[in-house]
Amino acid sequence: MTAFRARPLRHLAAILDGNRRWAAERGLPPEDGYRAGADRVVEFLPWCTDAGIEVVTLMAASADNLVHRDPHVMADALETIVTTLGKLAATGRYRLRPIGRLSRLGPDIEHALNQVRERTDQVAGTTVNIAIGYGGREEITDAVRSLLTTHLAHGTLHSLPQTLTPQDIAAQLFTADQPDPDLIIRTSGEQRLSTLMPWQSVYSELFFLRVNWPDITLHDFRTALTTYHDRQRRFGA
């Protein structure tokens, strides 16, 4: 069977897990864990840029997090995310793209995130997707809904069952203009994707770290990249 050496790493995704655990281990409130995690994001992105990675996706807060976690803690976490994105926008190095159902975050947070997107839309640097209020199944559902709505408006809905392709759905996703993730890193020792990009991740390489997100180091990052480049990607071949 033909084996293919890992392709250049164009899109890296990271599930930023373990912020609350990091805080609990130090006897700190969970809000401090989210702040420490945000500080680590500011350090992490230049590592990605220096490695020549074109697109970075950061799983910051899922739709389920908003439903099942303490609303006061999550409100503080969202404010921390907005503040951090403002700092990143000010660097002029990143094209920031919040993805998810932003309307569920409240009008003030939604407005702030849209401002960040508009402010950095023309930046030529690394594209950074921030998954916030995000659900992978919801993304696919919304993509199909958009596709159906478009065909209904054009009077072509009757032919869609015969013409529908995976590419049609992919074109409606948040990442329509981006390569699928080559590598997904998750911290904290958990070994699951937890709703992150179920459509886009079918051939992604996975790398799980035991350290909590605020403790990830440049050495950990380089180890993940080395492991990726040492793997043989087959893509079903």
Side-chain angles (χ1 to χ4, degrees):
M1 181 179 293
T2 302
F4 298 92
R5 186 62 61 183
R7 297 176 180 179
L9 205 171
R10 299 180 61 199
H11 184 170
L12 170 73
I15 302 173
L16 317 183
D17 197 23
N19 296 300
R20 294 184 305 159
R21 200 170 308 173
W22 180 92
E25 289 172 355
R26 290 160 175 76
L28 300 171
E31 293 90 336
D32 286 356
Y34 286 116
R35 294 188 188 102
D39 290 341
R40 187 61 66 187
V41 165
V42 174
E43 296 182 41
F44 180 79
L45 289 177
W47 303 345
C48 297
T49 300
D50 291 345
I53 298 170
E54 302 169 23
V55 182
V56 179
T57 294
L58 303 175
M59 183 65 161
S62 72
D64 290 338
N65 293 156
L66 299 179
V67 172
H68 298 298
R69 293 185 178 176
D70 185 316
H72 299 292
V73 172
M74 289 310 302
D76 191 88
L78 293 176
E79 289 291 346
T80 298
I81 291 170
V82 168
T83 299
T84 303
L85 292 181
K87 294 177 181 178
L88 293 173
T91 68
R93 299 182 64 185
Y94 310 108
R95 182 180 179 220
L96 302 173
R97 298 182 59 176
I99 61 174
R101 289 184 178 174
L102 304 185
S103 59
R104 62 159 50 101
L105 305 175
D108 291 341
I109 297 294
E110 181 182 13
H111 177 69
L113 293 174
N114 285 330
Q115 279 194 318
V116 164
R117 179 196 301 270
E118 294 171 6
R119 181 179 172 188
T120 63
D121 190 53
Q122 301 304 314
V123 172
T126 307
T127 295
V128 182
N129 303 316
I130 306 92
I132 177 171
Y134 171 91
R137 289 179 175 176
E138 290 181 351
E139 181 182 17
I140 297 171
T141 300
D142 290 346
V144 174
R145 181 181 293 114
S146 176
L147 192 60
L148 292 173
T149 301
T150 298
H151 279 267
L152 181 62
H154 288 85
T156 56
L157 188 59
H158 66 283
S159 64
L160 184 60
Q162 288 74 43
T163 63
L164 181 65
T165 67
Q167 291 74 23
D168 293 328
I169 296 174
Q172 304 298 322
L173 300 174
F174 291 122
T175 56
D177 58 341
Q178 302 172 0
D180 289 339
D182 298 297
L183 174 65
I184 299 176
I185 297 173
R186 179 170 186 154
T187 52
S188 86
E190 304 292 349
Q191 298 188 20
R192 56 181 179 272
L193 294 183
S194 296
T195 200
L196 179 65
M197 294 185 173
W199 182 282
Q200 300 94 321
S201 65
V202 289
Y203 284 119
S204 300
E205 296 294 320
L206 309 179
F207 188 83
F208 300 106
L209 279 165
R210 291 188 178 277
V211 300
N212 294 319
W213 173 253
D215 284 332
I216 190 172
T217 65
L218 179 58
H219 175 74
D220 295 325
F221 175 75
R222 288 175 172 167
T223 298
L225 266 56
T226 299
T227 300
Y228 169 80
H229 288 296
D230 284 345
R231 290 181 183 176
Q232 295 179 333
R233 304 185 72 186
R234 301 181 187 278
F235 298 96

